Amino acid sequence: MYREMIGKRSVKVLNIVEPSTVSKFAHAIGDAHPIYLDPEYAKNSRHRRNIAPATFPRTFDDGKIEGLDLPEKGLIHGTQSFYYERPLYVGESVYCYKEIKNYYEKKGGSGVIGFLVIESNGDDRDGHTIFTSTAIIVISEAVRKGINP
């Protein structure tokens, strides 16, 4: 179903790590650590400035992959992992994009279940990777039938 999409990627989209957005996010996840919120605290940390929480890239726009038309309802967020080359600094510009890394299917009790593996990346202004995130989207038999009637 999505095998022909493997290797396709979106164009890079500029995102800014806004202090107010980091603050809202940190409070929403229940982790208002001063390393995220307090510039004075951050100046005395090993980072010397505020950083964003590890899962903050979920808020980024990482573009649209042409031809990847997933339904808005019925998908299951399977897993997601984050790998960082360095911290994500509050105030910096991040260029984000995503790529279809894999698609596979397994037979389940309610039919065939699809697993779409999407990797999202964030680069700095010089093109160096800051983070990579891998997510698996689970596509149930019912959703699959809705996509391909």
Side-chain angles (χ1 to χ4, degrees), residues 94-110:
V94 183
Y95 296 85
C96 300
Y97 62 97
K98 62 186 167 194
E99 180 179 345
I100 304 296
K101 297 304 271 188
N102 198 4
Y103 177 77
Y104 57 95
E105 298 174 340
K106 292 185 179 182
K107 185 114 172 109
S110 60

Side-chain angles (χ1 to χ4, degrees), residues 2 58 70-80 103-104 108 110-118 134-144 147:
Y2 290 104
R58 290 276 300 142
L70 295 171
E72 291 184 25
K73 295 181 179 179
L75 298 176
I76 300 167
H77 184 92
T79 64
Q80 186 158 17
Y103 177 77
Y104 57 95
S110 60
V112 176
I113 301 169
F115 298 86
L116 185 62
V117 182
I118 300 176
T134 303
I136 298 177
I137 298 171
V138 181
I139 306 169
S140 69
E141 178 73 16
V143 171
R144 286 167 38 82
I147 294 171

Side-chain angles (χ1 to χ4, degrees), residues 33-103:
H33 193 284
I35 193 64
Y36 308 137
L37 308 172
D38 182 351
E40 287 304 313
Y41 179 90
K43 282 181 190 174
N44 296 314
S45 75
R46 66 184 169 128
H47 304 293
R48 302 280 184 235
R49 53 186 154 169
N50 293 111
I51 62 172
T55 55
F56 186 77
R58 290 276 300 142
T59 68
F60 289 152
D61 178 358
D62 55 8
K64 181 171 175 26
I65 296 174
E66 192 172 325
L68 180 63
D69 297 314
L70 295 171
E72 291 184 25
K73 295 181 179 179
L75 298 176
I76 300 167
H77 184 92
T79 64
Q80 186 158 17
S81 61
F82 294 86
Y83 174 78
Y84 279 86
E85 294 290 333
R86 65 158 175 83
L88 185 58
Y89 299 118
V90 173
E92 79 175 312
S93 299
V94 183
Y95 296 85
C96 300
Y97 62 97
K98 62 186 167 194
E99 180 179 345
I100 304 296
K101 297 304 271 188
N102 198 4
Y103 177 77

